[in-house]
Amino acid sequence: MMWSGEWNSPRRAAERGKVPYRAYYRAWFREPYVTEVCISNSANERRYHDEAPFTAYLINAAGERRSFSGTVPPHGTCVLTVAEMFPEGRTFVGDTGVGMVLIESDFDLAKIQLTCHPGSGAVAAEHFMAILSSKEYLPAGS
């Protein structure tokens, strides 16, 4: 946690200013797979003990978006299936059954997605990928 402590230090906050963090990963809306998104609030130097609001976007192959808003408790983790976040997701992503979930927040949230195959019990765990931009966004994932 030394890296996270330095990343979230007041000195670093002053250097980088206030910009949102974004990260993305694929989400399966194809039977029998079930994709869960796990979002952890490992805190932020501005509001170390506050809830962390986030917005999740489901993006289909045409670039269209649907949104979901949520909150992670202080030092807590929120676990939601993509079907819970986006009930119309299967229709929205179309025949491929795969979309992209992008999470955006002012908090540096740690994010991972788990895709489960209920029949076999197999689970794939994949870390969200940071979206880098020198102007508008910072990479996410403590």
Side-chain angles (χ1 to χ4, degrees), residues 21-24 37-40 102-105 107-113 126-129 140-142:
Y21 299 90
R22 292 192 317 170
Y24 69 96
V37 176
C38 307
I39 307 169
S40 293
L102 182 148
I103 307 289
E104 181 176 274
S105 178
F107 283 68
D108 186 14
L109 304 173
K111 296 170 277 313
I112 190 170
Q113 71 91 351
E126 300 175 283
H127 197 281
F128 271 61
M129 303 296 293
S142 293

Side-chain angles (χ1 to χ4, degrees), residues 17-40:
K18 185 175 179 178
V19 293
Y21 299 90
R22 292 192 317 170
Y24 69 96
Y25 217 84
R26 71 179 154 218
W28 296 86
F29 289 89
R30 187 188 310 159
E31 298 279 337
Y33 304 106
V34 177
T35 297
E36 294 180 330
V37 176
C38 307
I39 307 169
S40 293

Side-chain angles (χ1 to χ4, degrees), residues 123-135:
V123 176
E126 300 175 283
H127 197 281
F128 271 61
M129 303 296 293
I131 295 178
L132 298 171
S133 170
S134 61
K135 296 183 180 179

Side-chain angles (χ1 to χ4, degrees), residues 26-33 35 58-64 82 88-101 115:
R26 71 179 154 218
W28 296 86
F29 289 89
R30 187 188 310 159
E31 298 279 337
Y33 304 106
T35 297
L58 176 61
I59 304 168
N60 66 15
E64 301 167 319
V82 291
E88 78 292 351
R90 178 62 186 101
T91 303
F92 180 68
V93 299
D95 293 339
T96 64
V98 180
M100 183 173 79
V101 172
T115 297

